[in-house]
């Protein structure tokens, strides 16, 4: 394959790859476990805050703190967890993370049954769950290239994005239904059982992992490996610019998500039902994006696809202020179209990003590389809303979406500056990390 000029895989080879992937029983088991885990995480997005509100009567401040606690481990612990991920078998780490999350969440209804449940317990559970979310995500990212051939990575990542997209849509609806039907305490018990099912699915992944090198030394060795992870990530041109691109892209998305509801209520005069319907209709496009992600990445090339998705993302954000120019019906249509465009691009870009990272990084270094990049990529989810709210207070709500569009375009510029756009279907030898 020629990275500079490759035009994608011929149809017969594409069909053969898909047939091999479908017959890869280990991947199907891994994918099943990850799908159930993703669904459980999205159900928890509704159930955990509902427990705080309906059981403890918490206000927006308490709920906001509860949600923030789940993100803190991604920003603070990911680099260290990444080092540990490269020191242990990833399948065992994923199973451990699932069982730990089951125990953590199941402890809540058990405590409620004995009238021992407290808000402190809920906060601690949210924080610990976030820790094991990091362990599972980094282990999964590192385990996938071990389980699949290089030519199957795009297909494997596409299936991962499809399951996560479906979980995003179904999980929150299922979570709301469980809370309504069972109450928040029983709903939390069902949520915890999902992680146990995910762990059981992973038992059927049979391909043996090569035993990692035994860890030597203590904290000093971990710090040395962490420093090495920073050098690997930012010393490699592709990984450096992909991290910058993802940071700005995520910042734009998080800013828009934080401000769209405020804009819809305050500037467009939407009712709660209109807001929910507009965002729900728009988010459905994420499934279309997930289903077409492999095809688009193969036809355009992974690097050019990242430019395409971020330009479309910028267009989606720039479109939002246009809603002010018409009546309610016009504004509703604009918001739906904008959300469709942004939802459509997310899984397509994620497939390209993860495939390039996995083809650049040796499997034994995936944990460290992911751990170093994660605080930047996920940390931007906290920075984006702060910037957006500051602009809204200083100027107007719609100005925040202009900034989001600019950030999305800056993300595309990093793809150009770092020559990531040249990557078509594989990463050239000279751009790969060699340990």
């Amino acid at each position: 394959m020629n990275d500079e000029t490759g035009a994608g895989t011929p149809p017969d080879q594409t069909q053969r790859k898909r047939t091999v992937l479908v017959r890869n029983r280990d991947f199907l088991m891994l994918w099943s476990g990850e799908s159930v885990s993703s669904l459980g995480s999205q159900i928890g997005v509704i159930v955990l805050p509902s427990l705080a509100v309906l059981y403890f009567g918490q206000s927006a401040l308490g709920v906001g703190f509860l949600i923030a606690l789940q993100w803190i481990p991604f920003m603070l612990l990911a680099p260290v967890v990444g080092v540990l991920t490269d020191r242990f078998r990833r399948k065992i780490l994923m199973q451990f993370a699932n069982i730990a999350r089951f125990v953590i969440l199941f402890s809540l209804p058990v405590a409620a049954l004995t009238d021992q449940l407290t808000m402190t317990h809920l906060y601690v559970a949210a924080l610990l769950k976030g820790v094991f979310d990091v362990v599972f995500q980094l282990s999964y990212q590192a385990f996938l290239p071990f389980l699949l051939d290089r030519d199957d990575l795009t297909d494997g990542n596409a299936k991962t994005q499809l399951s996560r997209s479906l979980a995003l849509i179904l999980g929150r609806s299922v979570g709301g239904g469980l809370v309504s039907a069972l109450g928040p305490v029983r709903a939390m018990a069902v949520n915890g059982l999902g992680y146990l099912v995910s762990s059981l699915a992973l038992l059927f992944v049979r391909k043996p992992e090569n035993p990692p090198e035994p860890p030597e030394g203590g904290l000093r060795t971990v710090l040395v490996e962490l420093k090495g992870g920073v050098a690997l990530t930012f010393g490699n041109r592709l990984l450096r610019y992909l991290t910058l691109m993802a940071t700005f892209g995520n910042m734009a998305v998080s800013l828009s998500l934080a401000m769209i509801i405020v804009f819809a209520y305050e500037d467009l005069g939407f009712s709660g039902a209109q807001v929910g319907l507009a965002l729900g209709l728009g988010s459905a496009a994420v499934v279309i994006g997930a289903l077409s992600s492999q095809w688009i990445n193969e036809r355009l090339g992974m690097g050019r696809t990242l430019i395409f998705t971020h330009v479309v993302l910028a267009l989606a954000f720039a479109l939002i202020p246009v809603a002010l120019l018409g009546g309610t019906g016009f504004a509703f249509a604009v918001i739906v179209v904008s959300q469709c465009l942004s939802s459509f691009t997310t899984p397509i870009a994620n497939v390209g990003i993860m495939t390039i990272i996995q083809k650049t990084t040796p499997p034994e270094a995936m944990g460290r590389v992911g751990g170093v990049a994660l605080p930047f990529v996920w940390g931007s989810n906290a920075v984006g809303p702060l910037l957006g709210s500051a602009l809204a207070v200083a100027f107007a709500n719609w100005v925040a979406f202009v900034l989001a569009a600019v950030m999305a375009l800056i993300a595309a510029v990093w793809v150009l500056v770092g020559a990531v756009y040249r990557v078509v279907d594989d990463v050239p030898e000279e751009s790969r990390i060699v340990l």
Side-chain angles (χ1 to χ4, degrees), residues 84-103:
L84 297 178
T85 301
D86 288 337
R87 286 184 167 206
F88 297 95
R89 287 182 172 89
R90 282 71 179 266
K91 175 185 168 182
I92 293 176
L93 287 175
M94 286 188 287
Q95 289 177 306
F96 179 68
N98 276 329
I99 293 172
R101 289 184 290 185
F102 162 71
V103 172

Side-chain angles (χ1 to χ4, degrees), residues 156-388:
N157 284 314
K159 283 180 168 54
T160 299
Q161 289 302 315
L162 175 60
S163 61
R164 289 179 179 178
S165 299
L166 290 172
L168 180 67
I169 294 175
L170 297 176
R172 300 184 184 190
S173 300
V174 172
L178 287 174
V179 171
S180 297
L182 304 177
V185 174
R186 292 187 179 91
M188 183 58 67
V190 175
N191 187 195
L193 287 173
Y195 292 113
L196 185 60
V197 172
S198 176
S199 184
L200 292 175
L202 292 172
L203 288 175
F204 295 95
V205 177
R206 295 177 178 175
K207 183 176 180 180
E209 288 185 79
N210 296 325
E213 294 183 7
E216 298 178 358
L219 178 60
R220 177 178 295 180
T221 304
V222 172
L223 293 176
V224 169
E225 292 187 20
L226 178 56
K227 183 179 178 181
V230 173
L232 289 175
T233 304
F234 290 100
N236 179 276
R237 173 177 54 81
L238 289 181
L239 296 182
R240 179 169 65 251
Y241 285 103
L242 278 175
T243 300
L244 289 169
M245 180 212 68
T247 299
F248 278 84
N250 267 20
M251 203 179 303
V253 171
S254 64
L255 188 159
S256 177
L257 288 175
M259 294 303 301
I260 189 69
I261 295 178
V262 177
F263 179 72
Y265 282 130
E266 294 184 356
D267 297 83
L268 304 180
F270 281 11
S271 65
Q274 288 172 321
V275 171
L277 182 59
L279 298 183
L281 289 173
S283 65
V286 73
V287 176
I288 300 174
L291 289 171
S292 60
S293 59
Q294 183 181 356
W295 184 86
I296 292 175
N297 274 280
E298 288 178 347
R299 293 305 180 274
L300 293 182
M302 292 183 290
R304 289 190 289 270
T305 295
L306 292 176
I307 295 178
F308 163 72
T309 53
H310 284 88
V311 169
V312 172
L313 196 61
L315 175 63
F317 297 148
L319 188 62
I320 294 175
V322 176
L324 294 168
L325 302 180
T328 301
F330 173 79
F332 184 87
V334 168
I335 298 301
V336 170
V337 171
S338 170
Q339 294 303 296
C340 279
L341 291 174
S342 60
S343 298
F344 173 73
T345 64
T346 301
I348 299 172
N350 286 344
V351 167
I353 293 168
M354 284 312 306
T355 304
I356 293 174
I357 292 173
Q358 289 163 349
K359 289 189 173 185
T360 303
T361 311
E364 57 270 27
M366 277 294 299
R368 280 167 286 171
V369 168
V372 169
L374 213 58
F376 292 91
V377 177
W378 287 106
S380 61
N381 286 330
V383 176
L386 294 176
L387 290 175

Side-chain angles (χ1 to χ4, degrees), residues 19-66:
T19 303
V20 170
L21 191 57
V22 167
R23 288 190 287 107
N24 188 328
R25 183 178 177 278
D26 282 339
F27 172 72
L28 291 179
M29 290 297 100
L30 175 68
W31 183 36
S32 299
E34 199 278 339
S35 298
V36 174
S37 176
S38 294
L39 182 62
S41 294
Q42 292 302 326
I43 290 174
V45 168
I46 299 297
V47 176
L48 201 61
S50 296
L51 186 60
V53 173
L54 300 178
Y55 193 88
F56 291 104
Q58 286 291 307
S59 64
L61 181 62
V63 172
F65 184 60
L66 181 69

Side-chain angles (χ1 to χ4, degrees), residues 138-174:
L138 288 176
S139 299
Y140 182 84
Q141 289 177 194
F143 192 63
L144 196 64
F146 160 77
L147 207 59
L148 297 177
D149 294 332
R150 288 179 69 83
D151 290 342
D152 290 327
L153 284 172
T154 301
D155 197 1
N157 284 314
K159 283 180 168 54
T160 299
Q161 289 302 315
L162 175 60
S163 61
R164 289 179 179 178
S165 299
L166 290 172
L168 180 67
I169 294 175
L170 297 176
R172 300 184 184 190
S173 300
V174 172

